[in-house]
Amino acid sequence: MFEASPRAGADHGAHPALPRAVLFDRDGTLVADVPYNGDPRRVTPMPSAREAVAAVRALGIPVGVVSNQSGVARGLLTRSQVLAVRERVDGLFGPFAVWAVCPHGPRDACGCRKPAPGLVLAACRHLGVSPGRTVVIGDIGADVEAARAAGARGVLVPTGRTLREEVAAAGETAPDLLAAVRLVLGDRTPAVAATVPRSAP
């Protein structure tokens, strides 16, 4: 597993009833799923994704990304390309507090590739938060399973590639990312608009 420059100084002063961190899957959750994408120009935010991230940040809750990138193991991506895409995502959303990325393939039997809990646990360690006070939001069953395995709360936001059985097995679902954040934050969800960083076109 490799992690891309986690940022220190996360605000842990959130309300006790709120999560101490929210971790998002990347492809199909924060940005449109382009298989094995290594081109930052092809990065497009999912509907309501920037508003959702801004709403969590507005409460001082750290946000991070946990992402499987098996294209590295398959020889379809370089780590430099993965980092270039990460920089583009940071440019569109603002810098995330931590990125935890698994470069392994399904046959590598690593402990970080979702649905294993390694990415979630590593992100929690870097943020100094308990997995039990962390939420993981993603678009496929592996995201929710990784959250469950780590002891975190998982919320599924289904897309066209989400299997019916994954939806059925998920404890909590939401129709889009902003609805997922509202589910997590409850009546403390701030009414905020997405803040588009200056680096974004």
Side-chain angles (χ1 to χ4, degrees):
M1 179 180 64
F2 68 96
E3 295 166 34
S5 301
R7 301 170 197 274
D11 184 351
H12 295 168
H15 187 275
L18 294 173
R20 299 291 293 273
V22 178
L23 306 175
F24 297 92
D25 171 58
R26 195 192 82 178
D27 302 318
T29 301
L30 288 175
V31 300
D33 184 19
V34 178
Y36 308 118
N37 182 33
D39 185 352
R41 296 170 297 182
R42 302 183 71 188
V43 174
T44 305
M46 292 290 282
S48 82
R50 284 191 279 188
E51 291 89 345
V53 172
V56 178
R57 284 188 173 132
L59 293 176
I61 300 171
V63 291
V65 180
V66 286
S67 179
N68 289 349
Q69 293 298 321
S70 68
V72 176
R74 300 173 196 267
L76 302 173
L77 289 171
T78 65
R79 295 191 179 203
S80 294
Q81 287 175 312
V82 173
L83 291 174
V85 169
R86 166 264 172 109
E87 289 171 357
R88 176 59 175 163
V89 175
D90 275 349
L92 289 168
F93 288 85
F96 285 85
V98 63
W99 281 76
V101 179
C102 173
H104 303 116
R107 298 180 181 179
D108 292 334
C110 67
C112 52
R113 177 178 169 82
K114 295 177 289 184
L119 293 182
V120 177
L121 295 174
C124 289
R125 283 196 301 269
H126 277 281
L127 293 173
V129 300
S130 166
R133 295 291 304 278
T134 299
V135 176
V136 180
I137 302 176
D139 67 312
I140 62 173
D143 299 314
V144 175
E145 291 174 32
R148 187 176 296 123
R153 178 182 178 184
V155 179
L156 185 72
V157 180
T159 67
R161 74 179 187 131
T162 311
L163 301 177
R164 290 183 180 179
E165 53 265 35
E166 293 175 329
V167 177
E172 296 179 277
T173 64
D176 58 46
L177 206 56
L178 186 55
V181 164
R182 286 172 174 156
L183 177 66
V184 169
L185 302 181
D187 59 7
R188 294 182 63 84
T189 306
V192 298
T195 302
V196 181
R198 294 180 181 178
S199 60

